């Protein structure tokens, strides 16, 4: 697609700011103080989208609450990646019939990845008649206009057309207070892993202009954010659509030149596109955290092929070996799926053996969940849920032992951490993160929040490290 068709025009974006002003004016004229509840599910990309929704709402005069009962506007910003995530949203939609009965003026809105699925929008149209507005990720930038339409017409609005997708720069954002910030560097996905719904709901891969990304990171660093994560479904293909011969390692190198005390992380990386150059750049750039989230999904070549992942177990292991050779302290995490259709016990144990061989610091583990419309959902799936659960439990046992072992090796050492908030442990009231993003609960005073400090690790378990400032 031509770049000018991908970028939403400045005029079109300026019109959205006018709709925000209209909504604000409407509430001001009624002397009303509108309150919104934005509930986000799913991945960091969705969290970043939720922050844009809040930005547009703040500009429209809204303040925020976490209690839907108090809200004039409730937004469920949804995830479609597994069935469980969808069930939770339908459960929440059910509960909202009661809040709307109490407050018939309440506006209820469903957006995010689920909303982009035709199956879901139809079901909401027919059976969840208290929902006023439904829009998918493609229409996010038009949210002020859609909301205005609801207020003006009091009719239900559905903006769920499927498209390849656009890029809209300059949408206002309400970020979490603190030290962490998310920056989407690209949207969509072209990979069509056979189990995954994301390419169907988020459209084709498209990269933001490097200057826009650099400007955003510069502003974040100046505003005091210290832990910045670059987001994309496969950041390693960043730039492929720009025609500039400018790729993800180039972007990392340029970001690294921004002066300041901060760390850059990124997720996710696809092993089919990870290069030695990426690892070399990570190694030499002081602001780039020596932490890599490199999802492998399965340790068996037949399953990887059926998943359409386009790499082999050996290629994955080779990448890990190289990355560790240039970054000896590298912290490694990954995503894994157990129970892909047709997977046998021996194949699942190949995944377990890869986990043993690599020694990940942490894993995000999932039991396969069929997603209607994807290729894998039509594949025969003979293994029972109980068998899959047994393989999954074995995987967790191996991983938990490994996490505990790697964490124990920190005890007695002094490490640098970024104190990022309070913890729920009264003996260790502060929460902090190592460069590798490992959680360290700390003794110490709240005034340390927001600083990089050296701490001595005194204890550990599977999930966290414990320490005190030195
Ligand atoms: N783009 C990222 C990548 O390829 O690494 C992953 C994004 S996806 C939102 C996050 C993780 O969810 C995937 O890595 C995969 O492990 C898991 N996942 C995706 N579809 C799934 C499904 N149908 N069932 C179970 N897990 C799934
Ligand atoms: Fe889904 Fe694969 Fe794209 Fe990741 S790379 S979002 S798993 S299709
Ligand atoms: Fe993320 Fe879920 Fe959508 S994982 S991209 S919010 S389907």
């Amino acid at each position: 697609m031509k770049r000018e068709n991908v970028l939403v025009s400045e005029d079109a974006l300026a019109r959205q700011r006018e709709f925000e002003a209209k909504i604000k004016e409407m509430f001001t004229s009624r002397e009303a103080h509108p309150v919104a509840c934005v509930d986000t599910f799913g991945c960091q990309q969705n969290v970043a989208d939720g922050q844009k929704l809040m930005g547009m709402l703040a500009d429209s005069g809204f303040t925020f609450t976490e209690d839907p009962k108090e809200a004039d506007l409730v937004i469920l910003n949804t995830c479609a990646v597994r069935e469980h995530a969808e069930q939770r949203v339908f459960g929440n939609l059910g509960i909202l019939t009661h809040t709307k009965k109490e407050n018939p003026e309440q506006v209820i809105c469903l957006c995010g990845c689920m909303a982009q699925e035709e199956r879901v929008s139809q079901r909401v149209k027919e059976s969840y008649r208290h929902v006023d507005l439904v829009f998918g990720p493609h229409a996010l930038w038009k949210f002020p206009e859609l909301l205005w339409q609801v207020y003006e017409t009091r009719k239900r609005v559905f903006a769920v057309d499927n498209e390849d997708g656009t890029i809209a720069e300059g949408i206002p954002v309400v970020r979490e207070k603190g030290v962490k910030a998310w920056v989407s560097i690209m949207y969509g996905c072209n990979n069509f892993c056979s189990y995954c719904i994301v390419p169907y709901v988020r459209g084709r891969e498209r990269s933001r202009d490097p200057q826009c990304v650099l400007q955003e990171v510069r502003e974040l660093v100046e505003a005091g954010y210290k832990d910045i994560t670059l987001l994309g479904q496969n950041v390693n293909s960043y730039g492929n659509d720009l025609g500039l011969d400018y790729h993800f390692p180039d972007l990392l190198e340029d970001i690294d030149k921004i002066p300041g005390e901060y760390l850059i992380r990124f997720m996710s990386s696809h092993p089919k596109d990870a290069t030695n150059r990426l690892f070399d750049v990570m190694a030499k750039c002081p602001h780039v955290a020596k932490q890599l989230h490199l999802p492998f999904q399965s340790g068996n070549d037949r399953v990887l092929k059926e998943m359409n992942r386009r790499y082999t177990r050996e290629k994955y292991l080779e990448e890990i070996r190289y990355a560790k050779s240039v970054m000896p302290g590298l912290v490694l995490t990954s995503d894994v799926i157990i129970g892909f259709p047709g997977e046998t016990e021996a194949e699942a144990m190949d995944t377990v053996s890869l986990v043993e061989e690599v020694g990940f610091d942490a894993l995000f583990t999932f039991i396969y969940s069929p997603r209607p419309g994807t290729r894998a959902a039509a594949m025969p799936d003979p293994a029972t849920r109980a068998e899959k659960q047994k393989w999954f439990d074995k995987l967790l046992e191996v991983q938990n032992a490994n996490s505990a072992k790697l964490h124990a090796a920190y005890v007695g050492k002094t490490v640098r951490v970024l104190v990022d908030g309070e913890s729920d442990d009264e003996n260790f009231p502060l929460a902090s993160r190592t460069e590798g993003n490992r959680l360290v609960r700390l003794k110490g005073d709240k005034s340390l929040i927001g600083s990089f400090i050296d701490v001595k690790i005194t204890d550990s378990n599977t999930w966290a490290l414990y320490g005190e400032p030195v």
Side-chain angles (χ1 to χ4, degrees):
M1 214 184 357
K2 283 209 182 102
R3 189 72 182 164
E4 59 263 33
N5 299 338
V6 171
L7 294 175
V8 177
S9 73
E10 281 182 21
D11 284 355
L13 288 164
R15 273 194 44 219
Q16 296 306 317
R17 306 293 78 80
E18 287 167 17
F19 283 112
E20 288 168 358
K22 277 186 176 185
I23 296 170
K24 192 170 184 173
E25 171 54 33
M26 176 189 80
F27 284 117
T28 312
S29 68
R30 295 180 192 165
E31 293 182 21
H33 301 282
V35 181
C37 171
V38 181
D39 198 359
T40 292
F41 302 77
C43 65
Q44 300 316 333
Q45 198 101 49
N46 230 27
V47 172
D49 285 354
Q51 295 180 343
K52 287 183 187 160
L53 288 168
M54 289 174 75
M56 292 185 270
L57 286 169
D59 280 12
S60 310
F62 282 81
T63 55
F64 300 99
T65 173
E66 287 182 5
D67 183 355
K69 289 203 246 13
E70 288 173 3
D72 303 292
L73 170 67
V74 181
I75 301 185
L76 300 185
N77 182 26
T78 63
C79 169
V81 83
R82 282 170 289 276
E83 194 183 355
H84 178 68
E86 291 202 352
Q87 280 166 351
R88 270 182 61 202
V89 168
F90 281 115
N92 283 15
L93 277 183
I95 293 170
L96 290 176
T97 52
H98 305 298
T99 64
K100 192 146 176 166
K101 243 183 222 138
E102 300 276 297
N103 173 11
E105 291 295 301
Q106 188 174 60
V107 168
I108 297 175
C109 166
L110 182 88
C111 65
C113 293
M114 259 176 87
Q116 196 67 52
E117 291 182 282
E118 202 188 334
R119 174 178 63 83
V120 171
S121 63
Q122 275 306 334
R123 181 168 163 192
V124 172
K125 203 175 248 172
E126 285 157 20
S127 312
Y128 292 81
R129 303 197 62 82
H130 59 302
V131 178
D132 302 282
L133 170 58
V134 179
F135 64 95
H138 295 310
L140 179 89
W141 66 274
K142 288 184 225 166
F143 171 56
E145 181 175 355
L146 300 171
L147 186 60
W148 173 252
Q149 232 176 303
V150 171
Y151 282 126
E152 203 184 31
T153 65
R154 281 286 150 182
K155 291 205 172 108
R156 304 175 81 198
V157 175
F158 285 74
V160 290
D161 285 351
N162 223 335
E163 50 176 274
D164 284 348
T166 52
I167 295 179
E169 290 294 350
I171 296 179
V173 183
V174 170
R175 296 191 190 269
E176 230 172 274
K177 289 200 179 63
V179 292
K180 277 188 211 287
W182 315 103
V183 177
S184 296
I185 62 166
M186 57 198 297
Y187 306 98
C189 180
N190 286 354
N191 294 305
F192 289 93
C193 301
S194 61
Y195 50 80
C196 184
I197 194 74
V198 173
Y200 300 92
V201 292
R202 292 242 166 206
R204 297 293 61 75
E205 218 166 75
R206 51 221 187 263
S207 306
R208 285 179 69 197
D209 186 81
Q211 293 312 324
C212 295
V213 175
L214 286 165
Q215 183 57 25
E216 187 171 343
V217 176
R218 223 173 273 127
E219 286 168 8
L220 288 171
V221 172
E222 277 163 16
Y225 288 95
K226 293 187 159 70
D227 189 333
I228 299 168
T229 305
L230 310 177
L231 300 174
Q233 294 302 345
N234 173 13
V235 294
N236 296 332
S237 56
Y238 173 82
N240 290 356
D241 55 327
L242 289 172
L244 299 173
D245 196 20
Y246 186 93
H247 301 282
F248 186 58
D250 302 308
L251 182 68
L252 273 186
E253 274 181 321
D254 283 343
I255 291 176
D256 187 63
K257 290 177 197 146
I258 297 171
E261 198 185 30
Y262 65 94
L263 283 173
I264 286 288
R265 310 180 191 281
F266 54 87
M267 66 187 289
S268 285
S269 272
H270 196 307
K272 83 178 164 61
D273 297 316
T275 57
N276 286 357
R277 170 146 186 258
L278 169 68
F279 302 135
D280 292 339
V281 166
M282 284 177 75
K284 75 165 196 206
C285 289
H287 288 116
V288 179
K290 305 301 174 265
Q291 176 224 332
L292 182 64
H293 181 64
L294 193 63
F296 71 91
Q297 314 296 358
S298 164
N300 176 273
D301 284 346
R302 190 197 68 82
V303 176
L304 284 172
K305 193 148 192 279
E306 289 295 309
M307 287 177 161
N308 192 30
R309 289 291 288 181
R310 288 175 280 170
Y311 52 84
T312 59
R313 176 187 176 109
E314 187 45 40
K315 173 165 159 46
Y316 184 83
L317 289 172
E318 180 54 41
E319 283 174 12
I320 297 289
R321 278 194 287 271
Y322 185 81
K324 281 184 170 171
S325 76
V326 293
M327 293 174 279
L330 183 68
V331 167
L332 272 170
T333 57
S334 194
D335 293 350
V336 191
I337 297 175
I338 284 284
F340 182 81
E343 185 172 65
T344 64
E345 178 160 9
E347 289 167 340
M349 290 309 116
D350 284 344
T351 293
V352 175
S353 80
L354 187 141
V355 168
E356 273 170 331
E357 193 170 337
V358 172
F360 293 97
D361 293 77
L363 274 187
F364 299 88
T365 49
F366 308 105
I367 292 187
Y368 168 75
S369 168
R371 304 287 60 220
T374 61
R375 207 152 60 73
M379 294 177 184
D381 190 2
T384 62
R385 175 75 201 195
E387 283 173 296
K388 292 183 180 186
Q389 189 66 48
K390 194 181 81 184
W391 309 339
F392 187 76
D393 291 345
K394 176 71 190 162
L395 175 73
L396 284 193
E397 184 190 314
V398 168
Q399 179 54 41
N400 288 345
N402 199 52
S403 293
K405 192 176 98 192
L406 288 174
H407 281 169
Y410 283 86
V411 176
K413 290 190 176 143
T414 298
V415 295
R416 197 160 177 72
V417 297
L418 173 60
V419 188
D420 59 5
E422 292 178 47
S423 101
D424 49 12
D425 183 332
E426 60 183 31
N427 297 319
F428 293 87
L430 297 178
S432 69
R433 293 274 167 177
T434 66
E435 182 180 330
N437 215 16
R438 301 290 77 216
L439 170 65
V440 186
R441 297 184 197 278
L442 282 184
K443 292 191 191 297
D445 187 81
K446 276 190 206 166
S447 60
L448 292 170
I449 293 174
S451 340
F452 284 96
I453 58 168
D454 288 329
V455 300
K456 183 161 180 178
I457 304 299
T458 52
D459 201 359
S460 75
N461 60 29
T462 307
W463 317 111
L465 304 167
Y466 295 83
E468 52 196 33
V470 292

